[in-house]
Amino acid sequence: MLVVVWRYRVAAGKRKAFEAAYGPDGPWTELFSESPDYADTELLRGADGAYLTIDRWTSANALDNFLTLHRAEYARVEEATADLADEEVHMGRFEVG
């Protein structure tokens, strides 16, 4: 299992829209759900306005293949959600177990 972690800083006025976009019914989850190798996304909110997303995939290879095959769709969702976070940091890819 591969876990991908992103950290976001979100202004108070954008939190509701951010949670809708990055939550379980948002466009990111909808896109990733096209792959049988995608497990889920967890959205965590800190008291300081920071968020973490934790995406789970069967493997790094599965994620890389998905990103290659869905490059255009990924770019479309990225562009549509780009203004929701003031800061976005890729924390890394982590293997479970």
Side-chain angles (χ1 to χ4, degrees), residues 2-73:
L2 175 75
V3 175
V4 182
V5 180
W6 290 85
R7 182 177 55 81
Y8 301 89
R9 179 100 24 221
V10 179
K14 295 182 179 180
R15 289 182 187 161
K16 187 173 184 175
F18 179 87
E19 291 174 6
Y22 287 81
D25 297 320
W28 285 110
T29 302
E30 183 178 318
L31 173 62
F32 295 156
S33 293
E34 294 181 21
S35 172
D37 294 307
Y38 168 73
D40 67 359
T41 295
E42 190 172 0
L43 177 63
L44 306 174
R45 180 182 63 227
D48 63 351
Y51 287 84
L52 293 177
T53 59
I54 302 170
D55 302 321
R56 293 177 184 85
W57 294 81
T58 58
S59 69
N61 190 45
L63 172 58
D64 292 339
N65 288 339
F66 176 84
L67 293 174
T68 298
L69 291 172
H70 294 86
R71 184 181 318 258
E73 296 96 329

